[in-house]
Amino acid sequence: MAGNTIGHTFRLTTFGESHGEAIGGIIDGVPSNFSLDLDAVQLELDRRRPGQSDIVTQRKESDTVRFLSGVFENKTTGAPIGFVIENENQKSKDYSHIQDVYRPSHADFTYDKKYGHRDYRGGGRSSARETACRVVAGAIAKQFLSHYGISIHAFVSQIGPIRLSGDLIKISLPEKENKVRCPDEKKAAEMITYLKEIRKAGDTIGGVVFSKITGVPVGLGAPVFDKLHADLGKAMLSINAVKGFEYGSGFSGVEMKGSEHNDVFQSNEKTVTNFSGGIQGGISNGEPIYFRVAFKPVATIMQDQTSINKHGKNVTVQGKGRHDPCVVPRAVPIVEAMAAITVFDHVLRHKTTQI
Amino acid sequence: MAGNTIGHTFRLTTFGESHGEAIGGIIDGVPSNFSLDLDAVQLELDRRRPGQSDIVTQRKESDTVRFLSGVFENKTTGAPIGFVIENENQKSKDYSHIQDVYRPSHADFTYDKKYGHRDYRGGGRSSARETACRVVAGAIAKQFLSHYGISIHAFVSQIGPIRLSGDLIKISLPEKENKVRCPDEKKAAEMITYLKEIRKAGDTIGGVVFSKITGVPVGLGAPVFDKLHADLGKAMLSINAVKGFEYGSGFSGVEMKGSEHNDVFQSNEKTVTNFSGGIQGGISNGEPIYFRVAFKPVATIMQDQTSINKHGKNVTVQGKGRHDPCVVPRAVPIVEAMAAITVFDHVLRHKTTQI
Amino acid sequence: MAGNTIGHTFRLTTFGESHGEAIGGIIDGVPSNFSLDLDAVQLELDRRRPGQSDIVTQRKESDTVRFLSGVFENKTTGAPIGFVIENENQKSKDYSHIQDVYRPSHADFTYDKKYGHRDYRGGGRSSARETACRVVAGAIAKQFLSHYGISIHAFVSQIGPIRLSGDLIKISLPEKENKVRCPDEKKAAEMITYLKEIRKAGDTIGGVVFSKITGVPVGLGAPVFDKLHADLGKAMLSINAVKGFEYGSGFSGVEMKGSEHNDVFQSNEKTVTNFSGGIQGGISNGEPIYFRVAFKPVATIMQDQTSINKHGKNVTVQGKGRHDPCVVPRAVPIVEAMAAITVFDHVLRHKTTQI
Amino acid sequence: MAGNTIGHTFRLTTFGESHGEAIGGIIDGVPSNFSLDLDAVQLELDRRRPGQSDIVTQRKESDTVRFLSGVFENKTTGAPIGFVIENENQKSKDYSHIQDVYRPSHADFTYDKKYGHRDYRGGGRSSARETACRVVAGAIAKQFLSHYGISIHAFVSQIGPIRLSGDLIKISLPEKENKVRCPDEKKAAEMITYLKEIRKAGDTIGGVVFSKITGVPVGLGAPVFDKLHADLGKAMLSINAVKGFEYGSGFSGVEMKGSEHNDVFQSNEKTVTNFSGGIQGGISNGEPIYFRVAFKPVATIMQDQTSINKHGKNVTVQGKGRHDPCVVPRAVPIVEAMAAITVFDHVLRHKTTQI
């Protein structure tokens, strides 16, 4: 009930706080007898890792995952996969100056009020560090999805005012991502320049991640509460800093008429348009699924801010440390991971629909 | 696993198809010894009912709820509340002409492929009729929330191109809703005129429902997967025709800088701004919660459309029947209901956070 | 969290109190496109019904089930099956004399303390009447199991001091049950005579139900918490008046040596003995599953008993009404139902073990 | 769905196989701001550890638990507690001779058939080694229960033919357990002598663990599926080698009359007798809860046995290794742990019964 598990049949439970001993998780419901490439999991983690380029945080964390169970002779055993990522770099610093401070738009205040006790050395359970565990589970889900011919790809479609235009689902992705993870090289260069300015100003900025899922068979999802897009939406909204989710026509569908928006069938059971975003009535229809995820600007800025401490006194929060000017480049593998976990969960759930 | 339950501690399970005998549900986790006004539940249902005005479907359904358990001498017993709403008006019509047809942007195709069998007389489980059960549970949740001083209100903020502008959370709601459920009477009149034109053209249009939750104590929600806004988002995305969800600054937060977006604390633990939308790190911070829900245009239009049948043959789908030109006026009580179910679930879950 | 749901993938949620409007339930996770004989469900309910013979309670309840959803043209739709059984015979009696009384070994006291409010006209949610809903779901599960060649049969193996001896799993069951549901006609006659004496004395007595499950494939269950026998045990212990559960060698296995108890494999993958009771390491091994369920004597006796009321005052509880002298004859279909629900749930769960 | 989680509000998920890297788990739903003594957890683990006396297996495993999260400055943070116990002593032995063999009454056969792949070096997920994780979670649950005045104690009441007689709930427990964990010193001596003979013969024997829970408030549990004793029963039956569970009068209640078995109330709301075992209608009534758990003889014996391998060929299984002649002395802390997890889960669940 404390909300540290996601998924029904394929499920991930995570633990770990930013400044504790380690983070990790248990992946349950893993089908047995499947060849799993554990090295590929580390590669996904490396996409999320701090310090990978000059436009992300320069924090040093190797984020090396150690698998403890569930795989024998490179094949899954059907037992849960337990894994741990050690927290390095836990210096015994003096935290007394920030111990009582509530940083603006962080979870310090809400966490303190809810739990009455917290690890004031960092974001604790609210730290985005927890998402590393999601990437581990997502990387495993991706390998299973690949067996079913399902692929998931995400990229950055907007940073601040710089955005990709046109039909994003048609953009072909390069073999190798650039450091801002935007497939339009010209826009990517603009974004990088913009991010450097933002960082220089000690500020941060929001962005959008676009994701598409291809090769999805007809029939994944459920018609009522567990609509495929509702589960995808929850998965995305559970990522730190996310403020919005839309799929298919999304918010722009609001101004469309039914006669424009309806996806007319062709004789091959494909549709002429795809405003539905690959999901009708909560169930995949075989067309590509696509959605957009909005991220707010990172709350930690390198500027002085006024705030209060736990005694209600006014304090000044000083900006220091090593943080991302914008979260979306590193959020791309997290979005993919959460999509993979959600879709694979529904692949397994679908197996019990008919006898 | 078939996705007919929502909520963890306060939970609703529903059943029923549009053309079956009845729809209904079971509400479990209802705290005992609470005075419940069952007549107020029917009033909420009446807000969702077809035929209530000239801008909604003229289908005749009284939608009378019958409570079967869980309440004794007007007080909850702690036992689950079972309820039934009979399906009236089930004429034994001839459905053979539509039996095999896949209507565009309906769930006919996906449902048939997933289940291999369906009640072709209507939308079956994918029909919006199911949402009446949500309104029942939501009306009960609202009464409990009222005990805690929590209020939930929603209204129509956009229909097609006509939208409210300004800071929507400051709009004061009238005692009595107009028929389009938009609190700005001038805009409401425009919307009504627009809807009549749309209907005359045999077409439909999308819209947006804005919702706010006030009186929320600090501490509801959880920091990881079950963030309060993630659960709200799933609840909203599970409503028929919803394409998007955003809370607080939402998609517009993407273009903001951290220095603009951060909600600075005042000494009374209130914040100067509320771009966070009342939730920080997945946990309510005591400020009003607000969010927007995007609805696509209704798929049933009164125009001929080309489509296919289950044998892959081309067919023409004729528009007939009694449908809504726009779903949002009747969606307002559904949005409120799903918000109430979600928030009350978290109210109960919060009780176990500390010993 | 209020414990009105059982099962994971095939799941039953029930509602209803003994003196409310109706009882009923929702069966979710029903595979679609399966021919279901709903008349056979009523026949199972009739096996549980009061008044069916002179050794059970003479209460008049027709227990007619009405199905509201999930089945169309005699086939399952994959949607949840909602059903209702009306409570007849709700006379507006005067209950004031028992309103505050705590009957010995009933749930009156615990229920009052837990919930602070109860329907004092009967057992409320603790009434065995709720088990009628289990029989409905069990009868449906049985039909699915039959598709897989799995059969479940239970019978009375002991009433008070009268018990069947020998290897109960080898007893062949008659086409037609006798009224005490004991397949040994001689013992059955003794039991009936004994029950009549017990009833004449205004007393009640306990008993044992033996159950076997045949045709079970290898592989149902899970190795850790959801061992097949652990889920069967919970299902049985959740039936009113049950005090114990044992499977395979059970409590008598305590005095056996490993060299006696081990079930040695033959070359056909069958075992020579079956002390394991068809389950090894929590997973079915293809041998018949068998178990015994102990029921205590019914708490309602036709004798005066001293007790207290809710004000702590001493009162005399008078025995009156129409109750069973022994619960086990009517418990047989309930045991079968709970076994069917549990095993079919594991049949469905097993489908996701391998890709 | 793979059954590696137990509990609803206080919940344990475990991972790990006997010959993998490590075992461990995540405890979720831990109330925050509670002083936790982590050293006391290790002491409970030591009670379960191999090699602690000459009547248990002489396997060398230190079973040292390492806590990774959820506790800061000796107080719980409300975040999940992740922990790991490394598997030491993983020699790279040659396992080829047992790789394909199905040991009698082990899970080798069922596991292989279910999963199609297994770690043949040991019992894998079916190994009793997994129960160490339960002891960790149970030790934490015990500390919370202690805050509420609830105590759980178990002891050995029978080994093979040697059993304690009389009213076991009245037996006072010594400060320090003897090595067979039977509080009757005379019987304990007999048991030890008996176990040494059994081991000398290369055989094993079953036993019974008796457990009582005192200080339980009125009101824990639920009236239908999640009866307190049903959840206790499942928890016990999920322990390796358990074949039966009974509470209160148990199987002996079968031969009692209602007039004997009913627990008559006294004016202090206590009952004269306690055949109910402290639970009425699935809800605790404030009297001590007590139950008995039957364990079969350990399947691993030091004798040659005939069996088959995975190719259906006859083979001889040779007895060798270091195993327990009887599981019950080391099962005592496991029974206590599972009882603690179950009861504390219901303590937390009870908090949401009334507003």
Side-chain angles (χ1 to χ4, degrees), chain B residues 132-154:
Chain B
C133 298
R134 306 182 184 205
V135 172
V136 171
I140 288 172
K142 270 186 182 178
Q143 294 187 38
F144 279 101
L145 289 177
S146 177
H147 169 83
Y148 290 98
I150 303 171
S151 299
I152 295 177
H153 291 288

Side-chain angles (χ1 to χ4, degrees), chain A residues 30-280:
Chain A
V30 184
S32 68
N33 214 4
F34 180 83
S35 294
L36 207 57
D37 179 355
L38 294 180
D39 296 334
V41 175
Q42 185 62 51
L43 293 179
E44 282 293 313
L45 264 181
D46 293 347
R47 290 175 73 206
R48 197 209 73 100
R49 198 181 53 195
Q52 60 186 280
S53 81
D54 61 354
I55 59 161
V56 304
T57 173
Q58 298 303 303
R59 253 194 333 274
K60 292 276 179 285
E61 285 158 4
S62 72
D63 281 357
T64 307
V65 61
R66 178 183 169 214
F67 289 100
L68 303 177
S69 65
V71 178
F72 177 62
E73 296 179 341
N74 299 314
K75 286 167 75 179
T76 57
T77 62
I81 296 178
F83 64 90
V84 167
I85 302 169
E86 298 285 332
N87 283 338
E88 304 157 354
N89 214 355
Q90 295 165 266
K91 305 171 197 145
S92 56
K93 283 194 275 189
D94 179 13
Y95 288 94
S96 55
H97 63 296
I98 61 159
Q99 187 166 342
D100 295 342
V101 171
Y102 295 144
R103 293 168 295 167
S105 289
H106 273 87
D108 300 346
F109 172 70
T110 54
Y111 209 93
D112 229 20
K113 294 289 176 182
K114 182 175 185 71
Y115 296 106
H117 178 56
R118 72 184 173 97
D119 182 344
Y120 46 75
R121 296 170 301 176
R125 194 65 183 142
S126 300
S127 164
R129 178 149 181 72
E130 182 271 342
T131 57
C133 298
R134 307 182 184 206
V135 172
V136 171
I140 288 171
K142 270 186 184 179
Q143 294 188 37
F144 278 101
L145 289 177
S146 177
H147 169 83
Y148 290 98
I150 303 171
S151 299
I152 296 176
H153 291 287
F155 57 81
V156 170
S157 66
Q158 182 173 358
I159 285 182
I162 306 163
R163 71 173 81 193
L164 302 195
S165 54
D167 198 353
L168 300 188
I169 203 165
K170 291 188 179 149
I171 291 178
S172 60
L173 296 174
E175 195 92 339
K176 195 176 169 315
E177 299 169 311
N178 54 42
K179 61 188 175 187
V180 78
R181 293 204 166 89
C182 174
D184 179 321
E185 288 300 334
K186 191 165 157 296
K187 291 284 184 184
E190 285 179 47
M191 288 172 177
I192 291 169
T193 304
Y194 181 77
L195 285 182
K196 287 179 178 171
E197 284 165 19
I198 284 286
R199 187 167 56 187
K200 203 166 173 185
D203 218 332
T204 59
I205 190 73
V208 173
V209 173
F210 177 90
S211 182
K212 65 176 173 180
I213 313 175
T214 52
V216 185
V218 188
L220 302 189
V224 184
F225 299 116
D226 292 358
K227 289 180 166 80
L228 184 54
H229 58 265
D231 279 346
L232 280 169
K234 169 162 177 171
M236 296 308 141
L237 288 156
S238 77
I239 300 173
N240 302 46
V242 172
K243 301 299 286 186
F245 169 86
E246 59 179 2
Y247 81 105
S249 60
F251 276 89
S252 71
V254 163
E255 300 194 35
M256 292 175 76
K257 292 177 183 162
S259 56
E260 298 165 325
H261 193 277
N262 280 355
D263 294 321
V264 171
F265 284 104
Q266 296 170 291
S267 55
N268 59 358
E269 297 190 340
K270 294 287 164 192
T271 57
V272 177
T273 51
N274 185 15
F275 293 113
S276 297
I279 302 173
Q280 287 173 331

Side-chain angles (χ1 to χ4, degrees), chain B residues 84-137:
Chain B
V84 167
I85 302 169
E86 298 285 332
N87 283 337
E88 304 157 354
N89 213 355
Q90 295 166 267
K91 306 171 196 145
S92 56
K93 282 193 276 187
D94 180 12
Y95 288 95
S96 54
H97 63 297
I98 60 160
Q99 187 165 340
D100 295 344
V101 171
Y102 296 144
R103 292 168 295 168
S105 288
H106 272 87
D108 300 345
F109 170 72
T110 54
Y111 210 92
D112 230 20
K113 295 288 176 183
K114 183 176 185 71
Y115 296 106
H117 178 57
R118 71 185 175 95
D119 183 344
Y120 46 74
R121 298 170 299 176
R125 194 67 182 141
S126 301
S127 164
R129 179 151 180 71
E130 181 271 342
T131 58
C133 298
R134 306 182 184 205
V135 172
V136 171

Side-chain angles (χ1 to χ4, degrees), chain D residues 93-273:
Chain D
K93 280 195 279 187
D94 179 12
Y95 288 95
S96 55
H97 64 296
I98 61 159
Q99 187 165 341
D100 295 342
V101 172
Y102 296 146
R103 292 169 296 168
S105 288
H106 272 87
D108 301 345
F109 171 71
T110 54
Y111 209 93
D112 230 19
K113 294 288 176 181
K114 183 176 185 72
Y115 296 106
H117 179 56
R118 73 185 172 95
D119 183 343
Y120 46 74
R121 297 171 299 177
R125 194 66 182 142
S126 301
S127 165
R129 180 152 179 71
E130 180 271 342
T131 57
C133 298
R134 307 182 184 206
V135 172
V136 171
I140 288 170
K142 270 186 182 180
Q143 293 187 39
F144 278 100
L145 290 177
S146 177
H147 169 83
Y148 291 98
I150 303 172
S151 299
I152 295 177
H153 291 288
F155 57 81
V156 170
S157 66
Q158 182 174 356
I159 286 182
I162 306 163
R163 72 174 78 193
L164 302 196
S165 54
D167 198 351
L168 300 188
I169 204 164
K170 292 188 178 149
I171 291 177
S172 59
L173 296 174
E175 195 93 339
K176 194 176 168 318
E177 299 169 312
N178 54 41
K179 62 187 173 187
V180 77
R181 293 202 167 90
C182 173
D184 180 322
E185 288 301 332
K186 192 165 154 296
K187 291 283 184 184
E190 285 178 47
M191 287 171 177
I192 292 168
T193 304
Y194 181 77
L195 284 182
K196 288 179 176 171
E197 284 165 18
I198 284 286
R199 186 167 56 187
K200 203 166 174 185
D203 218 333
T204 59
I205 190 75
V208 173
V209 172
F210 177 92
S211 182
K212 66 176 174 181
I213 312 175
T214 53
V216 185
V218 189
L220 304 188
V224 184
F225 298 116
D226 293 358
K227 290 181 164 79
L228 184 54
H229 57 264
D231 280 347
L232 281 170
K234 170 163 176 171
M236 296 307 142
L237 288 155
S238 78
I239 301 173
N240 301 47
V242 171
K243 302 297 287 186
F245 169 86
E246 59 179 3
Y247 81 105
S249 61
F251 276 89
S252 71
V254 164
E255 300 195 33
M256 292 175 75
K257 292 176 184 162
S259 56
E260 298 165 327
H261 193 278
N262 280 356
D263 294 322
V264 171
F265 284 104
Q266 295 171 293
S267 55
N268 59 359
E269 298 191 339
K270 294 287 166 192
T271 57
V272 178
T273 51

